Amino acid sequence: MAVCPECEAEIELKEAIKGEIVQCPDCGVELEVVSVNPVELAPAPEEEEDWGE
Amino acid sequence: MSYQEIEDRYSTGVYPKRDVVIVRGEGAALWDENGRRYVDCVGGHGAANLGHCNPAVVKAVQEQVARLTDCTEIFHNDARARCLRKLVEVLPAGVDRIFLCNSGTEAVEGALKFARMATGRQEIVAFMRGFHGRTMGALSATWDPKYREPFMPLVPGFKHVPYDNVEAVREAVNDNTAAILVEIVQGEGGVRPGSAEFLLALAEISRESGALLIVDEIQTGFGRTGKMFACQHYGLTPDIVCLAKSIAGGLPMGAFALGPRVQNVIKMAHGSTFGGNPVACAASVAAIQYIQDENLPARAAELGAEFVARLRGIKADTVREVRGLGLMVGVELRQKATPLLRALMDRGVLALPAGPTVVRFLPPLVIERSELLGVADVVAELLSA
């Protein structure tokens, strides 16, 4: 179980990989797995293009 | 100046555009200004279920535009009457009064207004990761903070609860809840199908509480998920259904449809200048008839299952999950989606994201099987490289 550094929500991650990107299900912020033992998350680098709806 | 430069100079800059100028389409293929062909798995964000320049839609539009282009709803109109009858023919039984508008966000906006008008209540329960549009009411129901925050304060009375969590809904609904607003498959939120248990519980909770159940079928409707409407997978009859995208074969049109629990409609409480436009209505009749004649929902179910199976066979650590319903398919990655989207475009495949890590495929339902499976092979090749 990891913790969102933005909103402190608990995030379940199965077999986390360093560098993996996840989205916090509570606050929506994009996070990067910066270490795996224990799992630590940090805000992910910004992407310029989004191309969303 | 090139077309690209003109658009970059004279548009607002709110869209991060891709480095391509699309000038022509046919079926599931698009061509750029240099004549390069692409397989379209963007599908106009779900507006192109019938394929680009579908001949039946083209014919209907050409005939109607030469006959009557505008007719507001203060008059009766033949094209609109045919459209209403056709929509009622395919909607869930009992959902048989329709307001015609011009887009999905307008459909949601109207549905929210009618829910408040019919119930005399104020609150709306919506879902985390939900996407319903960008006008102020629809945006208030949309969850992603990046869409909401620049426009605060939004409409009061909206709550967002976790998707697929019945208990959270029970806790959020009270005697001031006008409606629960839900997507059967969350689209922009990551291609996440709701469970049958969850969706059927929403109907039960809304009935027990006196709230209405609004189902947003804007992306899932018109055959996309393997049924005409996704709620029909579960025998779910919503109180209000929101429609748009492929409703008129690619032309701008939206609608919301009301079931028997929606009463107390006040004359003149809502309206639209362009809503029920005869050209859009003629296109809609032709589009729905084509979907029925070609049995596109069954085609979506069959091709979608094959496509998902092929994608699930990809052996790559970067894939977290492949999920979807019919031809609404998402590949969730352990990394950002944009690099794969860019690589796909280089290989002649256009797809779109659904949140930061999901690559979404919404091909026209007329796509050839070999072309679709070829897309899966390209994805496999890129992810295995």
Side-chain angles (χ1 to χ4, degrees):
Chain A
M1 196 70 79
V3 175
C4 173
E6 293 291 317
C7 73
E8 298 184 348
E10 289 189 340
I11 301 174
E12 195 181 333
L13 276 175
K14 288 176 192 160
E15 297 166 14
I17 298 171
K18 195 173 175 186
E20 181 171 355
I21 302 292
V22 295
Q23 186 178 27
C24 173
D26 276 20
C27 72
V29 73
E30 291 170 39
L31 301 165
E32 180 176 354
V33 177
V34 291
S35 82
V36 290
N37 197 15
V39 177
E40 277 182 43
L41 301 168
E46 295 275 330
E47 191 79 46
E48 263 188 41
E49 290 91 350
D50 183 329
W51 300 338
E53 210 161 312
Chain B
M1 287 169 89
S2 67
Y3 293 127
Q4 204 162 331
E5 287 167 340
I6 293 168
E7 285 210 294
D8 288 345
R9 169 65 183 83
Y10 296 117
S11 63
T12 61
V14 79
Y15 290 109
K17 283 187 170 47
R18 304 188 191 192
D19 190 20
V20 63
V21 180
I22 300 295
V23 296
R24 187 165 73 84
E26 185 183 329
L30 290 170
W31 284 265
D32 71 13
E33 60 181 339
N34 302 314
R36 183 175 182 196
R37 183 182 187 276
Y38 295 87
V39 181
D40 179 24
C41 291
V42 170
H45 282 112
N49 285 10
L50 281 81
H52 297 281
C53 304
N54 181 285
V57 177
V58 169
K59 182 170 180 285
V61 168
Q62 286 175 335
E63 286 173 3
Q64 184 61 46
V65 82
R67 186 162 171 260
L68 181 66
T69 310
D70 282 295
C71 179
T72 80
E73 288 246 20
I74 63 168
F75 301 112
H76 292 284
N77 172 255
D78 57 341
R80 190 189 310 124
R82 282 193 289 272
C83 177
L84 293 170
R85 187 172 57 193
K86 197 69 188 163
L87 282 166
V88 168
E89 186 184 318
V90 294
L91 279 162
V95 181
D96 60 4
R97 290 168 294 149
I98 298 165
F99 185 94
L100 299 170
C101 52
N102 311 287
S103 68
T105 197
E106 277 183 62
V108 171
E109 207 72 36
L112 296 171
K113 288 176 71 178
F114 272 59
R116 283 185 168 180
M117 176 169 61
T119 61
R121 302 172 174 193
Q122 283 81 48
E123 291 185 8
I124 306 291
V125 173
F127 293 92
M128 291 173 172
R129 299 186 196 268
F131 182 91
H132 301 284
R134 298 172 184 273
T135 51
M136 291 303 260
L139 183 61
S140 303
T142 292
W143 172 76
D144 194 327
K146 77 169 181 259
Y147 298 141
R148 295 163 56 86
E149 278 171 1
F151 306 104
M152 296 288 192
L154 299 177
V155 179
F158 286 73
K159 292 178 190 170
H160 290 91
V161 300
Y163 190 68
D164 227 21
N165 184 328
V166 176
E167 279 318 301
V169 179
R170 285 195 195 283
E171 280 173 28
V173 169
N174 59 42
D175 59 10
N176 194 27
T177 304
I180 301 167
L181 170 58
V182 69
E183 297 161 276
I184 303 292
V185 181
Q186 290 190 320
E188 179 75 6
V191 191
R192 296 170 197 277
S195 67
E197 180 198 12
F198 167 68
L199 296 165
L200 292 171
L202 296 184
E204 186 187 308
I205 294 167
S206 64
R207 274 196 308 273
E208 286 170 1
S209 65
L212 300 174
L213 178 61
I214 305 173
V215 172
D216 179 338
E217 291 266 11
I218 291 165
Q219 189 164 130
T220 51
F222 299 100
R224 169 59 58 190
T225 69
K227 297 277 187 191
M228 185 63 85
F229 299 106
C231 62
Q232 293 167 329
H233 285 284
Y234 310 102
L236 190 65
T237 299
D239 297 307
I240 306 181
V241 185
C242 299
L243 308 170
K245 295 208 190 279
S246 282
I247 186 173
L251 268 74
M253 187 182 194
F256 57 94
L258 312 177
R261 293 182 68 220
V262 185
Q263 296 298 329
N264 307 320
V265 175
I266 300 164
K267 291 262 184 217
M268 298 295 290
H270 196 55
S272 167
T273 298
F274 285 113
N277 172 273
V279 179
C281 285
S284 180
V285 172
I288 296 168
Q289 190 63 53
Y290 186 90
I291 293 170
Q292 292 176 309
D293 291 346
E294 299 299 321
N295 202 357
L296 292 187
R299 185 177 171 79
E302 193 180 318
L303 289 181
E306 269 194 272
F307 187 50
V308 165
R310 181 77 62 109
L311 291 169
R312 283 187 176 148
I314 296 173
K315 305 291 177 216
D317 290 342
T318 47
V319 177
R320 191 179 284 145
E321 190 182 18
V322 177
R323 54 180 179 256
L325 196 61
L327 271 176
M328 185 172 180
V329 176
V331 177
E332 181 166 0
L333 304 175
R334 293 178 187 271
Q335 59 197 30
K336 294 220 178 192
T338 312
L340 178 59
L341 290 168
R342 215 176 266 126
L344 282 168
M345 200 163 100
D346 289 344
R347 296 286 301 272
V349 175
L350 303 176
L352 69 161
T357 58
V358 179
V359 174
R360 177 172 31 165
F361 297 91
L362 297 176
L365 310 184
V366 297
I367 191 169
E368 291 298 329
R369 177 178 176 274
S370 57
E371 191 127 72
L372 183 68
L373 296 181
V375 168
D377 291 343
V378 174
V379 174
E381 208 177 301
L382 291 169
L383 288 176
S384 307

